[in-house]
Amino acid sequence: MPRLTSVYVCQQCGYKSPTYLGKCPQCDSWNSMVEEVEEKGTGYRVQGTVEKAEIVDLSKIQNIDYKRLGTDLEEFDRVLGGGIVPGSLILVSGDPGIGKSTLLTQIALTIPKALYVAGEESAQQIKLRVDRIKPNAHLAVLNEVDVDVILRQIDTFRPTLVIIDSIQSLETEDLESVAGSVGQVRECAHKLQRLVKHLHIPIFLVGHVTKEGTVAGPKTLEHVVDVVLSLEGEPANLFRILRSTKNRFGPTDEVGVFEMEDKGMMEVKNPSKLFLEQKVNAPGSAVVSILTGLRPLLVEIQALVTKTSLPSPRRTGSGVDNNRLQLLVAVLQKRLGLPLYDQDVFVNVTGGLRIFEPAADLGICLAIISSFKDKTIREKCVLVGEVGLLGELRSVRQIDKRITEAKKLGYTNIITPSNVKTIAQAVKLTLF
Ligand code: TYD
Ligand code: MG
């Protein structure tokens, strides 16, 4: 196939050059040139994709009842908003080794006539993985990196679902740059997107999270795809959290919890119980009730406050927002007179979960106070509430759900903004 004319375009100002330039001669930005296809239309296209543009009246359009494709993994379906929408392009991103290939292989095995496109691993390697999950299972595998060949294969094979592992390994001959570069990743994703919308086959793209550099991170892709799922977790910890950060067909704050085992990722049906299983009642430990999508979750927050040896003490959070942590420490210093100016503060959310909700504020504060005073928070206590700059507690949404979950797990002392108005009051009730 003749190569299409490609051109390097500055992403800052749009300057075009036939060759790669480290610095844009027009706007002087460095490393901003990305290779793009100059003329579209001669590459492989599914017949009928080039249709006449038409203006339509919305009222004449019939509502399509999306028949979502269900997998056997309930946690996975929930994160997507109730299954896979046909004709959606879904990006699954995560650090190398976190379990993306494992999870998607499991999904492919639950759906008849799924196609696994392996750009990184050989069919033999995929077989090893499949044998761990479900020995001798059937799975159609295509070992290919040329996106145009892949598109043609999908068009003839007509699978119900396609998994592309990974988007960074694909390339198109239309561009000269190497696989994994911003231009290649973007162009390949665009081609796949056109196919998805035309054939109504859902496609999953695996994308590695990479540092800034020559290899394009999934950030480039977020605008092209319909759904972005990220698989998170710490390598040392077996929990894996699947979160949707963009979803054109569902909620974005839903999480699915899995545990990496010998036979693949196992669903965790009652995460609160598991997260709290190893909790010990010691100074610095607090339990909060957070909402992920529609589901309430109880998680443990741990804090460690120790005398610093640095001129400016550390406030380090893992699983919580660092800016929020700084703010809460400042509130504790000012409103409760806690002398934290010469103390390092470390806060950790157990289980590898990341919390974005202000509803966890009160729990974070109490964990810090508890560690600083070396006193244990009273037993069976759950803390819920946003903390304001004046040290007051502010109400949070869906308090009833959180209380129900806490009661279900046997927590009887539930501190919420409806029964306690300030942090100082909460301290009196929970730390003696
Ligand atoms: P993998 O899915 O290859 O990660 P990614 O595609 O995100 O790079 O999985 C990586 C790790 O998971 C690997 O160290 C082996 C382990 N693993 C299990 O623990 N159980 C299993 O059933 C499988 C298939 C893998
Ligand atoms: Mg992989």
Side-chain angles (χ1 to χ4, degrees), residues 93-106 116 120-121 128-130 132-133 165 206 208 231 238 240 260-266:
S93 68
D95 290 335
I98 204 77
K100 302 178 294 296
S101 305
T102 307
L103 183 62
L104 290 176
T105 307
Q106 279 173 263
Y116 199 101
E120 291 182 353
E121 294 158 308
L128 282 178
R129 181 179 299 120
V130 169
R132 275 179 89 161
I133 298 165
D165 192 356
V206 171
H208 298 294
L231 191 60
L238 294 178
R240 298 287 180 266
M260 187 59 126
E261 287 184 9
D262 278 353
K263 292 184 165 179
M265 301 263 231
M266 296 298 147

Side-chain angles (χ1 to χ4, degrees), residues 48-116:
T49 42
V50 199
E51 283 159 14
K52 261 195 201 149
E54 248 180 77
I55 295 173
V56 290
D57 181 351
L58 275 191
S59 65
K60 304 254 158 54
I61 293 181
Q62 295 203 329
N63 271 342
I64 304 171
D65 189 17
Y66 289 125
K67 265 249 168 319
R68 291 181 186 248
L69 208 59
T71 66
D72 283 353
L73 296 171
E74 252 177 62
E75 289 286 297
F76 190 83
D77 288 354
R78 216 206 22 253
V79 176
L80 285 174
I84 306 162
V85 172
S88 58
L89 190 60
I90 302 161
L91 173 69
V92 180
S93 68
D95 290 335
I98 204 77
K100 302 178 294 296
S101 305
T102 307
L103 183 62
L104 290 176
T105 307
Q106 279 173 263
I107 300 299
L109 290 177
T110 70
I111 301 214
K113 213 179 173 196
L115 175 66
Y116 199 101

